[in-house]
């Protein structure tokens, strides 16, 4: 996150750094699933200015690890109109709240943030948030690839997106411009803000570990009795990654077996199954069905033609018993890729399947992959953005939380805290208005 902070002189009010402000706790915000219309010209949404052209800004910050409701604070500061030559001033349009953001605040994520004094907080602080869609408000003299009005997203994680504005140095490298020659036509801030983590993760895991497309082509070339494309299996299929994998797999001619948790009623479970099938899922089963002893026979008899079309890739974000069931479902020389552990249950690597089925176990962490392959990340994002624009890819359902200048601190903190709590109808997303 420190990469996006600027020298202290940039954040000033009347020669003194402003201190954090807090608001009293209030009731939980009312979150509702909404469908955004394509955004109009960015100039239709104003931003607030202070004396002498200083931009007034707010950010959620934390100075110690803990639960978001306890450690997050809304901090106000001012941004100087004088930008370094390679920097840009951004205004945030939308910022999703991901489970990894909450884990970062709790101090349980794989990378710890840098607590910095540069925002003028009473104690060194960090800004959470990895994803966001931003509008370029002003540009330093030596910035080459960006101009005022462009929409951009961070090129790496750890950006610190839970804020109304940001000054970003080395902007040509630190930001990806969205839309190319077509610009932002047909796109919304929420669509752009949610493209770089979950869809990108699904894309890379489906393409980088097992060449399922080649397996499909080879199978069809060997005979006419093949019933479809190559199989992959995933737990957590209703997650953002799971929904993305379903849609990308369908576009690439793949078949998927998707495991979900039961809902409160059978009707709700059936509705979710149908929703995922409408996205392109081949098979949707519940966790109980997946863990039942009869599933092995079902897999062989109903789906894989007696094992002639085996499952060669399993995506695991749950761990525990569910991960063990993924291992059992894989065919010889199959691969399981783990990218999460929502059950918080350990998963011992089984000796027998590793030896006798010659299985491969991999881990995927988008943050590290992005550092190694920044060019590939940009290409992946550009491809997914075009699929969204063309109507071939739908983002996961969202719960929008409006962030205006006068939005109370506790409303924002509650939205972050609620990310890991029970069944949700959609991913929480801060949608910025008059800031």
């Amino acid at each position: 996150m420190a990469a996006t902070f600027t020298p202290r002189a940039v954040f000033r009010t009347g020669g003194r750094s402003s201190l954090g402000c807090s608001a009293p706790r209030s009731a939980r915000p009312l979150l509702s699933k909404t469908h955004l219309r394509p955004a109009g010209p960015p100039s239709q949404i104003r931003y607030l200015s202070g004396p002498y052209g200083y931009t007034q800004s707010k950010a959620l910050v934390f100075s110690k690890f803990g639960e978001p409701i306890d450690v997050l604070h809304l901090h106000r500061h001012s941004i100087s109109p004088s930008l370094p030559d390679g920097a840009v001033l951004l205004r945030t349009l939308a910022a999703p709240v991901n489970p990894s953001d909450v884990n970062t605040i709790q101090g349980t994520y794989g990378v710890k943030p840098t607590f910095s004094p540069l925002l003028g907080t009473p104690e060194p602080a960090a800004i959470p948030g990895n994803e966001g869609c931003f509008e370029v408000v002003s540009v330093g003299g030596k910035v080459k690839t960006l101009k005022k009005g462009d929409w951009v997203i961070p090129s790496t994680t750890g950006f610190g997106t839970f804020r109304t504005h940001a000054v970003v140095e080395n902007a040509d490298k630190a930001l990806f411009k969205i839309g190319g020659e077509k610009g932002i036509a047909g796109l919304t801030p929420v669509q752009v803000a949610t493209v770089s983590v979950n869809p990108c993760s699904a894309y890379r895991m489906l393409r980088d570990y097992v060449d399922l497309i080649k397996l499909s082509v080879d199978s069809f070339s060997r005979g006419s009795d093949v019933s479809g494309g190559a199989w992959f299996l995933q737990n957590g299929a209703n997650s953002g990654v799971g929904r993305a994998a379903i849609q990308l797999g369908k576009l690439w001619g793949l078949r998927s077996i998707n495991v979900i948790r039961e809902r409160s009623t059978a009707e709700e479970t059936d509705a979710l199954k149908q929703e995922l099938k409408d996205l392109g899922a081949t098979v949707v089963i519940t966790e109980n069905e997946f863990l039942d002893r009869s599933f092995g026979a079902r897999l062989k008899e109903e789906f894989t033609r007696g094992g002639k079309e085996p499952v060669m890739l399993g995506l695991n974000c749950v761990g525990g018993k569910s991960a063990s069931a993924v291992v059992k479902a894989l065919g010889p020389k199959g691969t399981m890729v783990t990218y999460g552990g929502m059950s918080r249950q350990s998963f011992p690597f089984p000796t027998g399947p590793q030896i006798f089925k010659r299985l491969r176990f991999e881990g995927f962490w988008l943050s590290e992959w992005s550092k190694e392959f920044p060019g590939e990340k940009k290409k992946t994002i550009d491809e997914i953005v075009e699929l969204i624009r063309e109507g071939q890819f739908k983002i996961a359902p969202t719960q929008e939380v409006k962030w205006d200048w006068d939005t109370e601190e506790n409303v924002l903190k509650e939205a972050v805290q609620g990310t890991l709590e029970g069944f949700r109808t959609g991913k929480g997303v801060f949608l910025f208005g008059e800031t």
Side-chain angles (χ1 to χ4, degrees), residues 86-417:
V88 296
L89 171 62
L90 304 179
R91 182 169 57 83
T92 317
L93 302 179
V97 184
N98 290 302
S100 60
D101 300 324
V102 178
N103 295 151
T104 298
I105 297 166
Q106 294 169 330
T108 60
Y109 196 56
V111 171
K112 301 295 188 290
T114 300
F115 294 110
S116 168
L118 295 180
L119 283 179
T121 49
E123 299 178 61
I127 302 175
N130 287 301
E131 279 188 296
C133 173
F134 300 84
E135 176 200 351
V136 177
V137 174
S138 56
V139 180
K142 293 185 179 179
V143 176
K144 298 179 181 179
T145 61
L146 303 173
K147 65 181 183 302
K148 183 178 179 179
D150 286 343
W151 284 10
V152 296
I153 63 175
S155 62
T156 60
T157 55
F159 185 91
T161 58
F162 296 174
R163 49 174 147 182
T164 64
H165 300 79
V167 174
V168 181
E169 298 193 40
N170 195 16
D172 289 319
K173 184 177 180 180
L175 300 168
F176 288 152
K177 180 180 175 180
I178 291 297
E181 295 181 357
K182 296 180 181 179
I184 59 176
L187 301 172
T188 70
V190 173
Q191 288 173 330
V192 172
T194 55
V195 76
S196 66
V197 173
N198 291 334
C200 191
S201 295
Y203 187 111
R204 297 322 319 178
M205 288 190 291
L206 287 179
R207 297 296 290 267
D208 292 347
Y209 296 95
V210 178
D211 194 340
L212 296 175
I213 295 177
K214 183 177 184 300
L215 286 177
S216 300
V217 172
D218 290 346
S219 294
F220 281 108
S221 67
R222 285 196 295 266
S224 59
D225 61 339
V226 178
S227 58
W231 285 100
F232 70 92
L233 182 151
Q234 61 173 344
N235 54 29
N238 187 43
S239 66
V241 173
R243 286 171 172 262
I246 288 170
Q247 295 178 80
L248 293 172
K250 179 68 173 179
L251 287 170
W252 298 334
L254 307 178
R255 290 179 290 176
S256 59
I257 300 171
N258 302 274
V259 185
I260 61 170
R261 290 182 294 170
E262 290 83 354
R263 271 28 194 180
S264 301
T265 66
E267 291 76 16
E268 290 176 343
T269 300
D270 289 341
L272 178 56
K273 285 184 175 183
Q274 188 58 52
E275 184 180 350
L276 297 185
K277 288 179 180 178
D278 290 343
L279 286 178
T282 314
V283 177
V284 184
I285 58 175
T286 66
E287 192 83 13
N288 285 341
E289 292 177 277
F290 186 46
L291 298 180
D292 191 271
R293 291 183 178 181
S294 65
F295 178 73
R298 287 187 62 192
L299 177 67
K300 184 176 182 180
E301 296 166 7
E302 295 182 30
F303 310 138
T304 64
R305 295 178 62 242
K308 295 179 181 178
E309 299 170 1
V311 176
M312 297 304 295
L313 177 65
L315 306 182
N316 167 48
C317 68
V318 176
K321 293 180 180 178
S322 183
S324 297
V326 173
V327 172
K328 293 178 182 178
L330 289 174
K333 297 186 179 180
T335 298
M336 184 172 82
V337 181
T338 294
Y339 65 98
M342 291 190 298
S343 70
R344 298 186 179 182
Q345 296 176 358
S346 61
F347 167 66
F349 287 97
T351 302
Q354 289 187 74
I355 296 173
F356 303 116
K357 292 176 70 175
R358 293 169 290 173
L359 300 184
R360 184 161 59 106
F361 297 87
E362 297 278 0
F364 179 80
W365 188 13
L366 181 67
S367 298
E368 288 302 306
W369 178 86
S370 300
K371 292 176 184 177
E372 293 181 34
F373 306 102
E376 285 300 309
K377 182 177 182 180
K378 179 64 166 61
K379 291 178 182 178
T380 301
I381 290 171
D382 286 344
E383 184 174 339
I384 296 170
V385 166
E386 288 309 307
L387 291 175
I388 293 173
R389 197 200 305 267
E390 294 166 2
Q392 298 186 62
F393 185 93
K394 296 179 181 179
I395 65 170
T398 60
Q399 292 179 312
E400 295 173 2
V401 180
K402 196 69 178 294
W403 184 334
D404 292 313
W405 184 256
D406 58 356
T407 300
E408 293 184 357
E409 175 185 278
N410 205 61
V411 171
L412 305 177
K413 292 166 61 173
E414 290 278 3
V416 179
Q417 182 70 42

